[in-house]
Amino acid sequence: MTAATPSSLFPNVPDSPDAVLEGLDPEQREVATALHGPVCVLAGAGTGKTRAITHRIAYGVRAGALPPASVLAVTFTNRAAGEMRGRLRQLGAGGVQARTFHSAALRQLQFFWPKAIGGDLPRLLERKVQLVAEAAARCRIRLDRNELRDVTGEIEWAKVTQSVPEDYPAAVAKSSREAPRDPAEISRIYGLYEQLKRERSVIDFEDVLLLMVGILQERPDIADTVRRQYQHFVVDEYQDVSPLQQRLLELWLGERESVCVVGDASQTIYSFTGATPDHLLDFRTRHPGATVVKLVRDYRSTPQVVHLANGLLAQARGRAADHRLELVSQREAGPDPVYTEYPDEPAEAEGVARRIRELMDAGVPASEVAVLYRVNAQSEVYEQALADAGVPYQMRGAERFFERPEVREAGVALRGAARAGDNDPLLADAVDLPSQVRAVLGGTGWTPRPPAGSGAVRDRWESLAALVRLAEDFARARPQATLADLVAELDERANAQHAPTVEGVTLASLHSAKGLEWDAVFLVGLTDGTLPISYAKTDEQVEEERRLLYVGVTRARRHLSLSWALSRSPGGRGGRRPSRFLAGLRPGSSSDAGRAGGVERGGGRSRKRRGPVRCRVCGRTLTDAGEIKLMRCEGCPSDLDEELYERLREWRSGQARQLGQPAYCVFTDKTLMAIAEALPDNETELARIPGVGGRKLQRFGADVLALCAGEEIGADPGESAGERMEERADEQADE
């Protein structure tokens, strides 16, 4: 048998403590050698935080300063804990405990329960949904499957924020949280759920933390035993700790300060579960003598991606934003982020699929590409587009669209209605295919208006709403289609997307992408109302949406594409606006000029031309007459004020009728579009727009400027503002 050949997959264990420090940058080395007292590591995305803290533990162990059995490293997922244990073994520190908060607490609870309470530890409730359902039924409150998930989530939130049932309504009000049901109802269900657990001698995962906190508070002898065992603590992703987890950490520590925390307030995106960055931001207040190290060297992303990430946070507000980190890329330059505006969602999905195919043809593996969106209901159009383009894909964090329970249930209902035909009473008042679908899906939970707040109920509604929209698009494309035709179309789509794919493009929500990275990332659906999501009402909720986009941007190593669609379906009115978070970042936009209600309006102004006419977005010399009128390339992002454009078109129609000429003789579509993008304030700015000559400026200028200012034009659509001014001047002269 021959000896194994060392490889990068199985690196050699460092032969000395100093060897552990090799390859660390100065800040990472500072973390690794700060072995005593409280340490706070503020680590930006891609800066090697896991590398820094694992080398810190390993260096301390190898140098004899940290006995392996005395160290407890805690994080938030089993995957992260497993990765940490693997790295520690490779560095020669295999005896260190690396666990999640729940795993560490459960281990201690199992050991100390007989001594603290007596008898066997109550059985751990794997899934609390069934017990919550029983509690709701006893309260005579009917909950469907998705409402059960949401109420269960509220109970979990209440417990990690240490709110008892009677305090839940007040806690919801104080936190500006939007409960999925009446807080008084949830409080009753929560109270009875706790009672049922006691009657059946079971505990849930939150109880594991609560009970361990109670034992450590009430039994100083047990607390001393734990503190003798674990004398040094490391907490990863510290921005995500809940108040309950923070309390447990404090009890583990006692009066000692041998703790190292690592986090980034700008990546706090789980506040709905009780996570808060306050503990990270207050660390130096609680530990005045703490060593603070900032990791800002980004080894993941190119300077172009990092520049966008920094710019995104530069516009942020609030406490987390005050502590943002300015990343510095350590990689060679790459391509600029690509911003693309599409007329509708199918066009956006097809464009993304086409670009992914180009990247794959250029050598980028499908597994190194991700499409990230805000809500899972957005996945269906991308599943379809990728399947049509022959691009393999895999879902992360959610079922494929047609495998979701609500979609399968809706399919059964639609199939039954199609078979029943005119005999189905649900279809009695339905006049067309979309109204038939709305009538059928109304029995499965779809409503014309979305439910309040987020959660499983909202996710279910989004899936059903996607089916309603699909039916509307199908009927528009095939006006004579029946419900049976739609069911056949759904079956074909489902079958096409059930083909197994082992290696493929990742489709994932922004939340489920946390902690991952890819060579190429496509951030899609970036419109106001989607990101930030429509139910983000408070300033802090909106800022968390911004942080979510920041997390998405920082997943990309080299290629980054950001896109949005002006309308939902082909031929729809393009009234959507790009996400407000992109204002001042995407070419041709401004962070403050022309903004109203947080929605960006035409950021670019026309400038006097000297020499060749250049695109005001990308700088390319323009030669096409239409592009010259727009002062930009056809493919460059548009800052069009859609509402103004429609009012200009209506006004132009009236003028054309009065003059008895075609509409283009007043102004062409391209000129109106240029006006709606430039938003001129005065005649000088209006005159700079190609297509607005001296004669047209004199005849129509006053009307156009009035429309740009949001004013209403007079009763006679054929009489221009300039003509009315001339008439009034003549009248005054006669007087």
Side-chain angles (χ1 to χ4, degrees):
M1 180 179 257
T2 57
T5 303
S7 72
S8 59
L9 292 177
F10 302 99
N12 290 324
V13 174
D15 57 9
S16 68
D18 288 341
V20 173
L21 302 178
E22 292 178 1
L24 300 181
D25 68 30
E27 293 79 23
Q28 292 171 343
R29 181 178 288 256
E30 184 179 357
V31 172
T33 55
L35 300 177
H36 304 289
V39 179
C40 179
V41 184
L42 302 176
T47 58
K49 66 178 179 63
T50 305
R51 176 180 175 83
I53 59 175
T54 52
H55 280 69
R56 176 185 186 271
I57 295 170
Y59 177 71
V61 169
R62 300 290 297 277
L66 303 177
S70 73
V71 180
L72 178 59
V74 289
T75 187
F76 284 82
T77 67
N78 289 320
R79 180 181 62 83
E83 179 186 355
M84 192 177 293
R85 287 193 296 270
R87 292 198 188 194
L88 289 171
R89 281 194 300 272
Q90 293 171 359
L91 294 170
V96 174
Q97 292 292 318
R99 298 180 174 275
T100 65
F101 270 100
H102 282 89
S103 173
L106 179 59
R107 199 161 182 245
Q108 294 174 16
L109 192 61
Q110 290 169 332
F111 183 81
F112 290 111
W113 185 269
K115 179 178 180 180
I117 309 299
D120 295 329
L121 179 69
R123 179 174 59 87
L124 186 62
L125 192 64
E126 293 291 338
R127 295 180 68 253
K128 57 175 69 74
V129 171
Q130 292 178 339
L131 210 58
V132 173
E134 185 176 340
R138 290 197 183 187
C139 293
R140 299 185 181 279
I141 299 173
R142 185 176 180 180
L143 302 176
D144 64 26
R145 180 174 53 208
N146 292 281
E147 289 173 323
L148 269 175
R149 285 173 54 195
D150 287 346
V151 170
T152 301
E154 286 300 292
I155 291 174
E156 291 171 351
W157 175 83
K159 297 184 77 166
V160 300
T161 55
Q162 302 176 83
S163 302
V164 296
E166 54 268 28
D167 293 341
Y168 169 77
V172 168
K174 183 178 180 181
S175 65
S176 300
R177 187 179 181 87
E178 190 167 3
R181 290 185 70 95
D182 182 350
E185 287 185 342
I186 295 177
S187 176
R188 289 168 53 205
I189 296 171
Y190 178 14
L192 192 52
Y193 166 75
E194 292 295 314
Q195 179 183 325
L196 289 172
K197 284 199 293 120
R198 288 191 296 270
E199 291 174 358
R200 297 174 188 183
S201 297
V202 295
I203 59 175
D204 59 29
F205 278 100
E206 289 70 42
D207 289 331
V208 171
L209 301 183
L210 285 165
L211 289 169
M212 199 60 222
V213 164
I215 288 174
L216 293 174
Q217 288 179 157
E218 299 299 325
R219 292 292 299 268
D221 57 327
I222 293 177
D224 288 342
T225 301
V226 172
R227 291 166 191 162
R228 283 195 300 271
Q229 170 70 48
Y230 296 115
Q231 300 172 27
H232 308 281
F233 295 86
V234 177
V235 186
D236 193 14
E237 302 287 5
Y238 192 53
Q239 78 277 354
D240 288 334
V241 296
S242 68
L244 179 56
Q245 290 165 332
Q246 174 63 23
R247 181 59 184 144
L248 179 59
L249 177 62
E250 291 169 353
L251 289 165
W252 280 340
L253 278 167
E255 298 300 318
R256 301 164 303 169
E257 292 194 312
S258 184
V259 59
C260 173
V261 300
V262 189
D264 179 9
S266 297
Q267 295 189 68
T268 306
I269 59 173
Y270 298 112
S271 66
F272 57 90
T273 67
T276 170
D278 289 345
H279 306 301
L280 174 65
L281 300 178
D282 291 338
F283 188 84
R284 283 167 286 185
T285 302
R286 297 194 309 274
H287 304 278
T291 298
V292 179
V293 184
K294 294 182 180 180
L295 302 183
V296 297
R297 300 175 194 249
D298 188 323
Y299 297 95
R300 175 188 299 158
S301 305
T302 63
Q304 288 76 10
V305 173
V306 167
H307 178 72
L308 174 57
N310 287 336
L312 192 60
L313 289 188
Q315 299 180 5
R317 300 291 181 268
R319 192 171 182 222
D322 292 340
H323 295 80
R324 61 182 175 268
L325 299 169
E326 186 85 8
L327 299 178
V328 181
S329 176
Q330 305 298 298
R331 294 193 56 179
E332 63 182 18
D336 288 330
V338 176
Y339 300 83
T340 310
E341 181 176 275
Y342 292 94
D344 51 68
E345 289 180 4
E348 182 179 10
E350 290 166 8
V352 167
R354 186 166 54 250
R355 176 59 180 146
I356 290 174
R357 171 54 69 187
E358 292 171 358
L359 287 172
M360 292 170 59
D361 292 342
V364 178
S367 59
E368 284 296 342
V369 181
V371 178
L372 306 181
Y373 34 75
R374 176 59 180 85
V375 295
N376 286 322
Q378 292 173 267
S379 76
E380 190 271 336
V381 67
Y382 292 94
E383 294 177 53
Q384 182 66 47
L386 291 173
D388 291 345
V391 175
Y393 65 88
Q394 54 187 334
M395 303 292 292
R396 180 178 178 84
E399 304 100 333
R400 295 168 185 257
F401 181 80
F402 287 102
E403 293 174 2
R404 296 173 192 167
E406 63 270 22
V407 175
R408 290 202 299 264
E409 179 185 341
V412 170
L414 290 170
R415 192 171 288 105
R419 282 197 299 266
D422 294 338
N423 296 324
D424 192 329
L426 283 174
L427 306 182
D429 298 323
V431 296
D432 55 16
L433 177 58
S435 60
Q436 289 178 332
V437 172
R438 286 190 287 267
V440 173
L441 297 189
T444 65
W446 178 83
T447 57
R449 296 178 61 84
S454 58
V457 172
R458 178 68 180 234
D459 289 344
R460 175 186 174 87
W461 183 89
E462 293 282 5
S463 295
L464 296 177
L467 288 175
V468 172
R469 293 195 297 267
L470 191 148
E472 293 168 349
D473 295 341
F474 188 64
R476 192 177 296 113
R478 295 176 54 184
Q480 305 305 316
T482 65
L483 192 55
D485 294 329
L486 176 65
V487 169
E489 172 71 12
L490 294 177
D491 287 341
E492 287 183 13
R493 287 176 176 240
N495 291 333
Q497 295 174 37
H498 282 168
T501 55
V502 178
E503 281 291 317
V505 171
T506 299
L507 295 179
S509 70
L510 287 164
H511 279 104
S512 64
K514 178 76 164 60
L516 303 174
E517 59 187 77
W518 296 269
D519 282 346
V521 169
F522 290 79
L523 301 176
V524 300
L526 301 181
T527 60
D528 262 352
T530 302
L531 194 70
I533 200 75
S534 58
Y535 49 76
K537 304 296 184 184
T538 67
D539 290 343
E540 178 49 40
Q541 288 169 342
V542 171
E543 286 304 316
E544 181 154 334
E545 294 287 300
R546 188 194 305 274
R547 296 194 293 270
L548 194 56
L549 179 56
Y550 173 79
V551 166
V553 168
T554 55
R555 299 311 94 193
R557 297 192 192 103
R558 180 173 175 81
H559 302 279
L560 178 62
S561 295
L562 305 95
S563 62
W564 58 92
L566 296 177
S567 68
R568 177 183 59 77
S569 56
R573 187 176 181 274
R576 291 176 171 177
R577 293 287 182 269
S579 171
R580 70 190 73 172
F581 300 145
L582 300 181
L585 300 175
R586 62 188 179 87
S589 66
S590 169
S591 60
D592 50 10
R595 288 173 63 85
V599 178
E600 183 195 4
R601 300 177 62 185
R605 296 280 183 166
S606 298
R607 295 183 179 179
K608 187 175 181 179
R609 302 190 305 278
R610 292 185 174 89
V613 180
R614 298 186 182 278
C615 173
R616 57 188 168 83
V617 178
C618 71
R620 183 177 71 86
T621 300
L622 303 177
T623 56
D624 178 80
E627 291 184 342
I628 290 174
K629 282 192 175 184
L630 288 177
M631 293 292 289
R632 65 170 175 82
C633 305
E634 286 280 4
C636 282
S638 167
D639 296 315
L640 180 70
D641 184 327
E642 184 72 26
E643 184 179 351
L644 173 58
Y645 179 64
E646 291 299 327
R647 286 192 285 121
L648 286 168
R649 284 171 56 89
E650 293 174 4
W651 165 84
R652 182 184 65 175
S653 296
Q655 295 292 328
R657 285 195 300 270
Q658 180 72 15
L659 296 171
Q661 295 179 343
Y664 67 81
C665 291
V666 181
F667 286 121
T668 65
D669 285 346
K670 284 289 196 305
T671 299
L672 292 187
M673 193 175 294
I675 293 170
E677 290 184 359
L679 294 176
D681 285 334
N682 51 58
E683 288 189 353
T684 301
E685 292 182 353
L686 180 58
R688 290 173 180 160
I689 297 175
V692 182
R695 183 177 61 83
K696 290 187 178 181
L697 179 66
Q698 181 178 6
R699 184 161 195 174
F700 305 122
D703 271 10
V704 171
L705 290 172
L707 288 167
C708 289
E711 300 173 7
E712 295 295 331
I713 303 301
D716 183 357
E719 182 182 25
S720 73
E723 290 169 340
R724 291 192 295 275
M725 290 173 64
E726 290 176 0
E727 289 174 2
R728 285 196 293 272
D730 290 342
E731 291 171 359
Q732 291 173 356
D734 291 341
E735 292 175 358

